[in-house]
Amino acid sequence: MVESWSFLDTVESNFRPLVVIELAKGTKEETIEWFAKRIVDKKADGGAQLLIKPLVTENGHENIYLVGASHLRLLLGAETVGLVKECNDNSMRTFTYSSRKTFKDFADDNHNFLTMAECQYIIKHELDNLRAKNEKMIPGYPQAKLYPGKSIVRRLLTSGILVQIFPLHDREELKKLRHSWYGRVRVGYQPLDDIRCYFGETIALYFGFLEYFTFALIPMAVIGIPYYVFAWEDYDKYVMFATFNLLWSTVILEVWKRICAILTYRWGTLLMKRQFEEPRPGFHGVLGINPVTGREEPVYSSIKRQLRIYLVSLPFVCLCLYFSLYVMMIYFDLEQWALDYHEENESNFSSLMLYVPSIIYAVVIEVMNRIYRYAAEFLTSWENHRLESSYQNHLILKVLVFNFLNCFASLFYIAFVLFDMKLLRQSLATLLITSQILNQFAESLLPYWLQKRHNKRMKKRTCSQKTDIDLSLAEQVNMEKEMGTYLGTFDDYLELFLQFGYVSLFSCVYPLAAVFAVLNNITEIYSDALKMCRVYKRPFAEPTANIGVWQLAFETMSVISVVTNCMLIGMSPQVDALFPDSKMDLVLTVAFVEHLLLAIKFIMAFVIPDKPRDIQMKLAKLEFESLEALKQQ
Amino acid sequence: MVESWSFLDTVESNFRPLVVIELAKGTKEETIEWFAKRIVDKKADGGAQLLIKPLVTENGHENIYLVGASHLRLLLGAETVGLVKECNDNSMRTFTYSSRKTFKDFADDNHNFLTMAECQYIIKHELDNLRAKNEKMIPGYPQAKLYPGKSIVRRLLTSGILVQIFPLHDREELKKLRHSWYGRVRVGYQPLDDIRCYFGETIALYFGFLEYFTFALIPMAVIGIPYYVFAWEDYDKYVMFATFNLLWSTVILEVWKRICAILTYRWGTLLMKRQFEEPRPGFHGVLGINPVTGREEPVYSSIKRQLRIYLVSLPFVCLCLYFSLYVMMIYFDLEQWALDYHEENESNFSSLMLYVPSIIYAVVIEVMNRIYRYAAEFLTSWENHRLESSYQNHLILKVLVFNFLNCFASLFYIAFVLFDMKLLRQSLATLLITSQILNQFAESLLPYWLQKRHNKRMKKRTCSQKTDIDLSLAEQVNMEKEMGTYLGTFDDYLELFLQFGYVSLFSCVYPLAAVFAVLNNITEIYSDALKMCRVYKRPFAEPTANIGVWQLAFETMSVISVVTNCMLIGMSPQVDALFPDSKMDLVLTVAFVEHLLLAIKFIMAFVIPDKPRDIQMKLAKLEFESLEALKQQ
C-alpha cells in the first residue's frame, strides 16, 4: 500500500519525524489514503503541504504515521502562526519569510533556527486548520459528516478514526534538560529558557510562576515562623502579620505581571497577536468572511454566544454552587447528628459512626467535582468560542468558582458561623497538609512509578536492555504512545490557587501556612518537572503572553482575603477586649481598617505599572514602526 | 518695515488668516524679524514653513500678526499631527499626503477637506514645536536664554514678548452653529458633530458627556420625585432607591465609555496615537534621541520625574489635605463658639456673630483653593511631563482630591461624626442649589453681560453700527483679542464631578438632588454654549479619545458612594428599629450588603465591554492591516 502513494515522492531524504498520528486499528484504506493526501496536498489545493510517512515496526504496519515538513514549509508556517523571533539588532519582530535574513541565527542551512517545539506547534496548527473543501463526509465513513470549513482532524477525532496526535520527544535534548532542571541537587533558578524551548511558553510560564510564587512566599514564611516558635498570640502582632500579608500579596501579584512581561517579551509571545489567530478546531458555524481579516472561515453570532453564556451557563453554575452549599449544610447536620448519637449511646459502633459523615462528604465532593468538570467542559464547548484562549478562560472561570466554594465553604462556615478559631486552625492545617501530600503523590510519584514499571515490562517484551537514548524510532514511538497525556496547566494552577487561598484567606489564624506552602512548592517544582519529563507524552507547545484568567483569580483571592482577615481579627478575643464598652466601635473600626486596606491595595495596583519601562518603550517602538509602515503604503 | 520682509513673497494671494499672534508693544524689530523668519522658514531649515502677515488697522501697525498656511502645507501638517479621517470605503484611517486620494471628500481644490479647527490645531502644533537650533538667546533679549530643542514660542511667552496666540472665529460658521445649538427653543440632541468641527473634540466630548449625563440622571430624578411628593420616609423605599442609584451609576459610567468610543471613532480621535505625539511645549531636557521614534527631541529621565512626584508632590498634597481638614475643624469649633456666645448673651450683635464663622470659612476656602490651584500647576509643571495629556492628568488628580475634600468634608463630618441627618439634608440642599446658581451666574451670564457691554463700548469708539458679520478683519481681531480666554474643560468637568458627588454620595438622604441636577444641567448646556460662542476667544481644538482621568474620578466617586449610602442607611432609625436586640447584627448586615453591592459593581464593570462590538471589530481590522503592512515591508 505504501508503495502506491505516489505523492510521497516529494519526501525529502532527511525526513525528520516531528509529530505522531495514531489511527484506529482497522481504519479503511481509502480513508487513510484520502487523509494522507490532504496532509501532503499543496496549500493552494487546500492541503497542509506537510510530509507523512508510515511507521514500520517489527510487527509490521500499525496505523501509526509520522508527520514532518520541509525546512522551507516550516519557515512559511512560522509566518502563518505569527511567530516572533529576535532580530540581528536585538529587537523582537514577527517572523516573515521575506525578511528572514534580518533574524538572529538565521541561515538557510541552519535547521535549528526554529526549535523543535516550534516546529511541532506549526505542524499541529496546520493539521488543526486542515479544513474540508467539498467533502460531504469522511471517505469510507458516511456517518462522519463534513461540511466546507469543518476541521478534518476534529471530525476524525470525534468519530474515533484518529486515536491521538502527539509530538515526539527529543531524547537527546530531554536528557540535557532533565540534567539542568532537576538532575543535580542545587539551589538556583530553573532553566526557564530551556524549558520554554522544549515544552513551549505555557508550560515554561507555569514553572516561572511556580518559582516566583515560591520566592514570594518566603518573606511570609520567615515572618510566620516566630509566631509558631514563640506561640505569639497578641492581637497586635497578628494585625501586623496580616497587614503585611495583605499588602505583600498585592505587591507580588503586580510584580509578577512585570516579570511575566519580561519573560514573554524575551520569548516573543508578548508581541504575538492572539486576536488574529485562526478559530479553534472545535469552533463551528456557517462559512463566512471574517470581518477583521477578510478571510473565509466559520462565523458564529456573538449574540447567540452571549445568550448561551448568560441564559444557560450562568444559571447552571449558580445552581451547582447552591447545590454544593446545600450538600455542605447536610454534611454539617450529619456531623451534628453523629455527634449526638455518639454522646447518647457511647459504643465502638458509635465512635466509628463519627467518621461516616466526613467520608460520605469527601466521596460526594469528589463525585460532584467530576460531574461538574464534565458539565463545565460540555457547556463551554457548546458556547462555541471562536478562540482557544476565550474557551479556556470561560472553562477556567466556571471550574474555579466551583472549586473555590468546595474547598473553602466549610472553612468559612467554621470561621464565620460557628466562630470556632481552634477548629478553623485545625481544619486549615489538616486540609493544607493532607492535600499537599496527596497531590504530590497522586500527581507525580504514582504515575512515575507506574510508568517505570510499564516501561520495564515493555523492554522485557522486546527483549532489549538498551537505555532510553539508544531506542530505535519505532520503539520510542511505541513507548511514548502508551504514556499518559498531559492535560494542560489547569490542575497545576488550580493547586497553586487553592494553596494561595489557604495561605492568605486565614493567614492571621495560621501563619505557618506559608511555611508549608514554601516547602511544598520546592518539592512541587521537582515533582512537576519529573512529571513533564518522565511520565507524560510530550505536550504540544502553546504560545502564551501571560497566565491569563489566573492573574485575575489570584487578584480576586487577595481582595477576598482582606475581607476575611479583617473579620477574623475583629472576632479575636484580644481585639474584642480592646473595646470593652462598645461592640459597635469594634465593628466600625474593623470596617474602617478593611476599607483602608482595600483602598491601598487598589491604589498600589494602579500605581505599579504592569510592564517595566524598557519593555513599554520596546512595544511603543514596534507600534510606531508598524504605524509608519502603514503610512508608507 | 513690512516691505523689507523679502521672504514674505511666498505668501499666496488667497492668504486665509487662521491664527492671531499678539506681541508685546515695543518688541524690538530684530526679534520680530527673527521670529517671523523662523515661522516662514522651510521645515528643512528648522522653520515652521507657515505664512505670516502683519495686521494693519486704522491706527497703524499694532504688533499683531496673522498666521496662515498654504493648502499643501496644511495637508502635510495633518499627516504630521496624525489626523484620522474617513476614507472612501467608510473606514477611518490615519491621513497621509501620499494616500490623500483615498479619503472621502478629498479634492485638490477642496479647501474644506480640513475643518478650520483642524487647520488651526495644525498651525498651533507647528508653532509650539518650532524649536531653537543654535540660538543661545532670543535676538534682542539676552536674558531670554535658548538652547537647542527649546520651544521658541514657550520662551517668548515666558519672557513676556509674546502676549497671546489664539485662533480666529469664523463669524459665518459660528452664527450657523449658534442657531442649531441654542438658537431656537426645542427639545433634542446637541449638534455634537458641528460643535466638534468648530471647537474640536475635547469640547465636543465635554458637551456630549454633559448631555449624556443629564439624560442618565433623568431616571434617578423621576424615581426621586415621589419620595419628595409623598414624603416617603420608609427605610425599605430608601434602600431600594439607593440600591437602584448605586447600580445605575455603574451602568451609566460603563455605557458612557461605549458612547464615547462611538463618538471618538467617528471623529477619528479614537485611532490617533497619542503616545507618539511630540513633547508638550513646556517639556524641557537635554536634546537626545527618542528611543521610540528615533527622532531628536528633549529627553528627561523618568526616574527623576517619579522622584519628584512621589517625594515632593505627593507629600505636599497630603499636607494640604491635612491643613484643609484642620481648617474645617477650626470652623466647626468657631461655629460652636458662636452658638454658645449667642445663647449666653442674646443680642443683635450675637445673632450677627452666628454668620461670621461661615463667612470666614467660605473666604478661607476660596483663598486656599486659589493658592492650592496655583501650587498644583507649578508642581505639575515642575514634574516635567513629556506629554500634554500626562501633565493634564497629574494636574487634574491633584486639584480633584483637594476640591473633593473641601466640598464634601463638612458633609461627611455632619453625617458620620455629628450623626445629624436633618442638618445633612439641609446643608446638602443649600450647597447644591446655591453652588449651581452661583456657578451659572459667575461662569456664563456675568461674563456674557460684561462682554456685551464691552463690545458696545468698542463699537461706539469705532463709531460703526455694523453687525458682527460685517466687521472688518481688523475690527474682528481687535474685538476677539480682548475677549477672555477659555481655560479648558477642567472647571466644567469639576462642576459636574462635584454635582455627581452631591447626587450619589448622599442620595438616600436627599433623593431630590437628582432633580435639581437635571434642571441645572439643562440650563448648563445653554449657558455653557453661550459661554463658548459669545464670551470667550475661540479655543484651539484639541483631539482627544476619551474624558481621561475624569472617567476614573467618576468611577471612584461611585465606589465611595456605595460606602457612604450603606452607612447612611445603616444609621437610619428605621433600619435601626429592625434590629432591636443587637446593634452588632445591624452593622454586620450593612457591611455584608455593602460588600455585595461593591462586588456586583465590579462584576458589572468587568462584564460590560468598554467598546461596542462593531467598533472593536473595526479597530481589530485596522490593527490587522497595520500588522500585514509591517510584514510586507
Side-chain angles (χ1 to χ4, degrees):
Chain A
M1 185 204 82
V2 177
E3 287 73 14
S4 73
W5 288 0
S6 58
F7 43 82
L8 277 183
D9 292 350
T10 48
V11 172
E12 286 176 358
S13 55
N14 57 355
F15 173 81
R16 185 192 183 197
L18 290 167
V19 171
V20 178
I21 292 181
E22 186 184 358
L23 295 179
K25 290 213 166 99
T27 303
K28 294 190 183 140
E29 286 285 306
E30 61 170 322
T31 312
I32 299 176
E33 205 155 329
W34 166 79
F35 185 42
K37 185 171 176 329
R38 290 301 309 272
I39 289 177
V40 178
D41 264 359
K42 290 227 162 59
K43 275 296 249 185
D45 304 333
Q49 210 164 353
L50 302 173
L51 310 173
I52 187 166
K53 227 181 181 176
L55 180 78
V56 185
T57 60
E58 300 150 22
N59 317 335
H61 179 51
E62 279 190 78
N63 273 352
I64 292 175
Y65 296 88
L66 301 171
V67 180
S70 69
H71 185 50
L72 175 67
R73 177 69 191 86
L74 287 172
L75 290 178
L76 290 171
E79 179 172 339
T80 311
V81 298
L83 280 196
V84 173
K85 302 284 268 178
E86 194 176 356
C87 284
N88 285 323
D89 60 351
N90 292 326
S91 65
M92 304 297 295
R93 269 158 223 276
T94 307
F95 178 80
T96 62
Y97 185 71
S98 55
S99 67
R100 63 194 182 281
K101 304 273 186 209
T102 61
F103 286 85
K104 208 169 178 173
D105 297 330
F106 183 88
D108 280 325
D109 55 348
N110 177 11
H111 288 216
N112 291 326
F113 174 69
L114 297 173
T115 65
M116 188 172 172
E118 279 166 346
C119 295
Q120 288 166 337
Y121 170 68
I122 291 165
I123 288 182
K124 164 127 192 295
H125 180 266
E126 294 295 341
L127 286 177
D128 279 345
N129 283 287
L130 189 60
R131 288 171 191 285
K133 291 183 294 184
N134 308 319
E135 295 99 335
K136 291 268 171 288
M137 49 157 213
I138 288 173
Y141 294 84
Q143 78 284 9
K145 295 265 182 297
L146 284 178
Y147 53 87
K150 174 70 189 174
S151 162
I152 290 173
V153 167
R154 177 80 182 183
R155 175 56 82 232
L156 285 170
L157 275 170
T158 50
S159 48
I161 303 165
L162 187 61
V163 178
Q164 60 178 345
I165 303 185
F166 63 91
L168 270 178
H169 266 300
D170 181 337
R171 298 262 144 195
E172 200 83 37
E173 279 299 312
L174 184 61
K175 201 183 167 194
K176 271 192 228 159
L177 178 66
R178 274 208 313 257
H179 183 71
S180 67
W181 198 356
Y182 65 91
R184 53 220 149 103
V185 176
R186 70 194 165 107
V187 179
Y189 299 108
Q190 299 170 85
L192 285 183
D193 289 330
D194 296 339
I195 300 171
R196 175 246 164 182
C197 277
Y198 196 84
F199 287 112
E201 289 80 12
T202 304
I203 288 166
L205 211 54
Y206 163 70
F207 281 101
F209 182 70
L210 178 56
E211 180 177 287
Y212 169 78
F213 190 61
T214 310
F215 277 111
L217 283 178
I218 287 177
M220 284 195 199
V222 168
I223 297 180
I225 288 173
Y227 285 80
Y228 178 75
V229 175
F230 303 118
W232 284 345
E233 294 276 350
D234 315 328
Y235 87 96
D236 53 348
K237 295 206 181 76
Y238 270 111
V239 168
M240 270 173 55
F241 181 71
T243 311
F244 169 77
N245 256 15
L246 299 176
L247 298 183
W248 182 242
S249 68
T250 312
V251 171
I252 60 175
L253 290 176
E254 287 301 309
V255 172
W256 165 250
K257 282 193 216 158
R258 295 166 68 91
I259 291 180
C260 180
I262 294 174
L263 285 175
T264 53
Y265 178 81
R266 196 166 70 210
W267 297 340
T269 46
L270 187 61
L271 296 169
M272 272 180 91
K273 302 280 168 180
R274 298 291 298 196
Q275 61 265 48
F276 307 135
E277 65 185 323
E278 301 275 311
R280 58 184 284 268
F283 179 66
H284 57 85
V286 286
L287 212 62
I289 302 292
N290 180 326
V292 173
T293 60
R295 291 177 193 150
E296 203 180 39
E297 63 171 42
V299 168
Y300 186 76
S301 147
S302 101
I303 294 164
K304 272 194 205 163
R305 187 182 305 126
Q306 299 283 331
L307 285 179
R308 286 181 174 190
I309 292 174
Y310 289 111
L311 295 187
V312 180
S313 297
L314 186 65
F316 175 79
V317 171
C318 291
L319 210 74
C320 287
L321 295 181
Y322 177 77
F323 185 70
S324 156
L325 281 181
Y326 194 77
V327 168
M328 189 192 77
M329 295 316 296
I330 292 178
Y331 158 67
F332 276 109
D333 283 351
L334 269 182
E335 186 103 290
Q336 193 57 47
W337 175 82
L339 216 68
D340 292 348
Y341 181 83
H342 178 66
E343 269 171 23
E344 270 174 40
N345 19 340
E346 226 161 304
S347 68
N348 277 344
F349 173 73
S350 75
S351 62
L352 213 74
M353 278 293 283
L354 276 180
Y355 293 98
V356 171
S358 296
I359 294 167
I360 295 180
Y361 187 54
V363 171
V364 169
I365 280 213
E366 189 58 24
V367 171
M368 287 199 313
N369 260 341
R370 275 169 198 274
I371 295 177
Y372 180 81
R373 182 76 166 262
Y374 184 78
E377 271 169 23
F378 174 79
L379 273 178
T380 316
S381 182
W382 177 72
E383 282 161 18
N384 199 13
H385 293 276
R386 187 176 165 270
L387 300 185
E388 183 64 32
S389 50
S390 153
Y391 169 84
Q392 287 293 340
N393 287 349
H394 276 85
L395 179 61
I396 291 175
L397 208 65
K398 284 194 190 74
V399 178
L400 212 59
V401 173
F402 193 73
N403 268 278
F404 178 83
L405 207 76
N406 265 348
C407 260
F408 297 115
S410 62
L411 292 176
F412 274 94
Y413 188 80
I414 292 170
F416 304 119
V417 180
L418 303 182
F419 297 115
D420 191 339
M421 290 307 117
K422 216 170 172 128
L423 182 61
L424 177 63
R425 200 172 300 180
Q426 267 177 22
S427 313
L428 195 58
T430 320
L431 266 172
L432 180 66
I433 297 167
T434 52
S435 79
Q436 288 186 346
I437 293 173
L438 278 180
N439 253 323
Q440 297 231 354
F441 182 74
E443 214 184 76
S444 315
L445 301 179
L446 185 68
Y448 177 64
W449 178 73
L450 286 176
Q451 181 66 30
K452 211 153 191 180
R453 223 181 49 166
H454 173 80
N455 284 0
K456 265 193 195 140
R457 229 185 301 143
M458 286 275 289
K459 273 188 199 157
K460 252 183 218 151
R461 215 169 44 192
T462 57
C463 290
S464 64
Q465 287 298 326
K466 308 173 211 174
T467 62
D468 282 3
I469 300 268
D470 302 326
L471 286 174
S472 76
L473 182 64
E475 281 166 328
Q476 186 192 338
V477 170
N478 270 322
M479 202 158 96
E480 284 182 19
K481 88 177 161 70
E482 301 296 329
M483 288 169 115
T485 305
Y486 181 65
L487 293 170
T489 50
F490 185 93
D491 289 296
D492 295 320
Y493 276 117
L494 187 62
E495 204 187 319
L496 277 186
F497 173 74
L498 296 177
Q499 184 192 70
F500 184 59
Y502 288 126
V503 171
S504 62
L505 280 180
F506 307 99
S507 65
C508 63
V509 172
Y510 191 54
L512 218 56
V515 180
F516 284 110
V518 169
L519 291 179
N520 173 70
N521 287 0
I522 291 172
T523 54
E524 176 91 19
I525 290 175
Y526 286 92
S527 67
D528 278 355
L530 185 78
K531 178 176 83 176
M532 292 311 306
C533 295
R534 308 294 297 244
V535 178
Y536 287 125
K537 281 190 200 76
R538 183 177 194 170
F540 277 108
E542 196 62 54
T544 185
N546 48 54
I547 61 172
V549 81
W550 291 107
Q551 182 79 38
L552 187 71
F554 275 79
E555 279 167 13
T556 309
M557 180 73 93
S558 100
V559 168
I560 296 174
S561 65
V562 171
V563 182
T564 52
N565 277 295
C566 285
M567 281 171 81
L568 284 176
I569 287 176
M571 278 157 41
S572 72
Q574 293 95 336
V575 176
D576 235 37
L578 268 192
F579 297 88
D581 307 324
S582 157
K583 289 278 153 286
M584 194 77 172
D585 282 355
L586 162 71
V587 177
L588 291 178
T589 310
V590 170
F592 177 75
V593 170
E594 187 223 327
H595 283 86
L596 196 73
L597 280 173
L598 283 177
I600 295 175
K601 268 180 89 78
F602 279 106
I603 292 172
M604 268 165 55
F606 181 75
V607 165
I608 301 175
D610 286 356
K611 295 189 183 94
R613 209 179 147 69
D614 63 317
I615 303 274
Q616 276 176 35
M617 297 300 261
K618 283 170 183 165
L619 291 181
K621 189 173 177 183
L622 219 81
E623 211 184 329
F624 175 75
E625 279 173 7
S626 120
L627 221 83
E628 291 289 302
L630 199 69
K631 270 189 195 170
Q632 243 106 75
Q633 261 199 332
Chain B
M1 186 205 82
V2 177
E3 289 71 17
S4 73
W5 288 0
S6 59
F7 42 81
L8 277 184
D9 292 349
T10 49
V11 173
E12 285 175 359
S13 54
N14 56 356
F15 173 81
R16 185 193 184 196
L18 289 167
V19 171
V20 178
I21 292 181
E22 186 183 359
L23 296 179
K25 291 214 165 94
T27 304
K28 294 192 182 137
E29 288 286 305
E30 62 169 322
T31 313
I32 299 175
E33 205 157 329
W34 166 78
F35 186 42
K37 185 170 174 337
R38 289 302 308 272
I39 289 177
V40 178
D41 264 359
K42 291 228 162 61
K43 278 294 252 184
D45 303 334
Q49 210 164 350
L50 302 172
L51 310 174
I52 188 167
K53 228 181 182 176
L55 179 79
V56 185
T57 60
E58 301 152 20
N59 317 332
H61 179 52
E62 281 190 77
N63 272 353
I64 291 175
Y65 297 87
L66 301 170
V67 179
S70 69
H71 184 52
L72 175 67
R73 178 69 191 84
L74 288 172
L75 290 178
L76 290 171
E79 178 172 340
T80 311
V81 299
L83 280 196
V84 173
K85 303 283 268 178
E86 194 176 355
C87 284
N88 284 324
D89 61 350
N90 293 327
S91 65
M92 305 296 298
R93 270 158 222 278
T94 307
F95 177 81
T96 62
Y97 185 71
S98 55
S99 65
R100 64 193 180 282
K101 305 272 186 208
T102 61
F103 286 85
K104 206 169 179 173
D105 295 330
F106 183 88
D108 279 328
D109 56 349
N110 177 11
H111 287 216
N112 292 325
F113 175 68
L114 297 174
T115 66
M116 188 172 172
E118 278 168 347
C119 294
Q120 289 166 337
Y121 169 68
I122 291 165
I123 288 183
K124 165 126 191 297
H125 180 266
E126 294 296 342
L127 287 177
D128 279 347
N129 283 287
L130 189 60
R131 289 171 189 284
K133 290 183 295 184
N134 310 318
E135 295 98 334
K136 291 268 171 291
M137 49 157 211
I138 287 173
Y141 294 85
Q143 78 283 9
K145 294 267 182 295
L146 285 178
Y147 52 87
K150 174 72 189 174
S151 161
I152 289 173
V153 167
R154 177 81 181 180
R155 175 56 82 232
L156 285 170
L157 275 170
T158 51
S159 48
I161 303 165
L162 186 60
V163 178
Q164 59 178 344
I165 302 185
F166 63 90
L168 270 178
H169 266 300
D170 181 336
R171 297 265 145 194
E172 201 82 37
E173 279 298 314
L174 184 61
K175 201 183 166 192
K176 271 192 229 158
L177 177 66
R178 275 210 311 259
H179 182 71
S180 67
W181 199 356
Y182 63 91
R184 53 220 149 102
V185 177
R186 64 187 175 113
V187 179
Y189 299 109
Q190 298 171 86
L192 285 183
D193 289 331
D194 297 340
I195 299 171
R196 175 247 163 180
C197 277
Y198 196 85
F199 287 113
E201 288 80 12
T202 304
I203 288 167
L205 212 52
Y206 163 69
F207 281 101
F209 182 68
L210 178 56
E211 180 178 284
Y212 169 78
F213 190 60
T214 310
F215 277 111
L217 282 178
I218 288 178
M220 284 195 200
V222 169
I223 297 180
I225 289 174
Y227 284 83
Y228 177 75
V229 175
F230 304 117
W232 284 345
E233 294 276 350
D234 314 329
Y235 86 97
D236 54 346
K237 296 207 182 75
Y238 270 111
V239 168
M240 269 174 56
F241 181 71
T243 310
F244 169 78
N245 256 14
L246 299 176
L247 298 183
W248 182 242
S249 67
T250 312
V251 172
I252 61 176
L253 291 176
E254 287 301 309
V255 172
W256 165 249
K257 282 193 217 157
R258 296 166 67 92
I259 291 181
C260 181
I262 294 174
L263 285 175
T264 53
Y265 178 81
R266 197 166 69 209
W267 297 340
T269 47
L270 187 61
L271 296 168
M272 271 179 93
K273 302 280 167 179
R274 299 289 301 193
Q275 61 264 48
F276 307 136
E277 64 186 323
E278 301 275 309
R280 57 186 285 268
F283 179 67
H284 57 85
V286 286
L287 212 61
I289 301 292
N290 181 325
V292 173
T293 60
R295 293 177 191 152
E296 202 180 40
E297 63 170 44
V299 168
Y300 186 75
S301 145
S302 102
I303 294 163
K304 270 194 205 166
R305 187 181 304 128
Q306 300 283 331
L307 286 179
R308 286 182 173 189
I309 291 174
Y310 290 112
L311 295 186
V312 180
S313 296
L314 186 64
F316 175 80
V317 171
C318 291
L319 210 74
C320 287
L321 294 181
Y322 177 77
F323 185 72
S324 157
L325 281 181
Y326 195 77
V327 168
M328 188 193 76
M329 295 314 296
I330 293 177
Y331 157 67
F332 277 109
D333 283 351
L334 268 182
E335 186 103 290
Q336 193 57 48
W337 175 83
L339 216 67
D340 292 346
Y341 181 82
H342 178 66
E343 269 171 26
E344 270 174 39
N345 19 341
E346 228 163 299
S347 68
N348 278 344
F349 173 74
S350 75
S351 62
L352 213 73
M353 279 292 284
L354 276 179
Y355 294 97
V356 171
S358 296
I359 295 168
I360 294 180
Y361 186 54
V363 172
V364 169
I365 279 212
E366 189 59 21
V367 171
M368 286 200 313
N369 260 342
R370 275 169 199 275
I371 295 178
Y372 180 81
R373 181 76 166 264
Y374 184 78
E377 272 170 21
F378 174 79
L379 273 179
T380 316
S381 181
W382 176 72
E383 281 161 19
N384 200 14
H385 294 276
R386 188 178 165 268
L387 300 184
E388 183 64 34
S389 50
S390 153
Y391 169 85
Q392 287 293 341
N393 286 349
H394 276 85
L395 179 62
I396 291 175
L397 208 65
K398 284 194 189 72
V399 178
L400 212 58
V401 172
F402 192 73
N403 268 279
F404 178 83
L405 207 76
N406 265 347
C407 260
F408 297 114
S410 62
L411 292 177
F412 273 94
Y413 188 80
I414 293 170
F416 303 120
V417 180
L418 304 182
F419 297 115
D420 190 341
M421 289 306 117
K422 216 170 172 132
L423 182 61
L424 176 63
R425 199 173 300 181
Q426 268 176 24
S427 313
L428 195 60
T430 321
L431 267 172
L432 180 66
I433 297 168
T434 52
S435 79
Q436 288 186 345
I437 293 174
L438 279 179
N439 252 323
Q440 297 232 353
F441 182 74
E443 213 184 77
S444 316
L445 301 177
L446 185 68
Y448 177 64
W449 178 73
L450 288 175
Q451 183 64 31
K452 210 152 194 182
R453 223 182 49 168
H454 173 81
N455 284 1
K456 265 191 195 143
R457 230 187 298 146
M458 286 276 290
K459 272 186 198 158
K460 252 183 214 153
R461 216 170 46 194
T462 57
C463 291
S464 64
Q465 288 298 330
K466 309 174 211 171
T467 63
D468 283 4
I469 300 268
D470 304 325
L471 286 175
S472 76
L473 182 63
E475 282 167 327
Q476 187 193 339
V477 170
N478 270 322
M479 202 158 95
E480 283 181 19
K481 88 177 163 68
E482 301 297 329
M483 287 167 114
T485 305
Y486 180 65
L487 292 171
T489 50
F490 184 92
D491 290 295
D492 295 319
Y493 276 117
L494 187 62
E495 204 187 317
L496 276 188
F497 173 73
L498 297 178
Q499 184 193 71
F500 184 59
Y502 289 125
V503 172
S504 62
L505 280 181
F506 307 99
S507 65
C508 63
V509 172
Y510 191 55
L512 219 55
V515 180
F516 284 109
V518 169
L519 291 177
N520 174 70
N521 287 0
I522 291 172
T523 54
E524 176 92 18
I525 290 176
Y526 287 91
S527 68
D528 278 355
L530 186 77
K531 179 177 82 175
M532 292 311 306
C533 295
R534 308 293 300 245
V535 178
Y536 287 125
K537 281 190 201 77
R538 183 177 192 169
F540 277 108
E542 197 62 56
T544 185
N546 49 53
I547 60 173
V549 81
W550 291 107
Q551 182 80 39
L552 188 70
F554 276 80
E555 279 167 12
T556 309
M557 180 72 94
S558 98
V559 169
I560 296 174
S561 65
V562 171
V563 181
T564 52
N565 277 296
C566 286
M567 282 173 80
L568 284 176
I569 287 177
M571 279 159 39
S572 71
Q574 293 96 336
V575 176
D576 234 38
L578 268 193
F579 297 89
D581 307 324
S582 156
K583 290 277 153 286
M584 195 76 169
D585 282 356
L586 163 69
V587 178
L588 290 178
T589 310
V590 170
F592 177 75
V593 170
E594 186 222 327
H595 283 85
L596 195 73
L597 281 172
L598 282 177
I600 294 175
K601 268 180 88 77
F602 279 107
I603 292 172
M604 267 164 55
F606 181 76
V607 164
I608 301 175
D610 285 356
K611 294 188 184 94
R613 208 179 148 69
D614 63 318
I615 302 275
Q616 277 178 33
M617 297 299 262
K618 284 170 183 167
L619 292 180
K621 189 174 177 182
L622 218 80
E623 212 184 327
F624 175 75
E625 279 174 8
S626 119
L627 220 84
E628 290 289 302
L630 199 69
K631 270 190 195 170
Q632 242 105 78
Q633 262 199 333

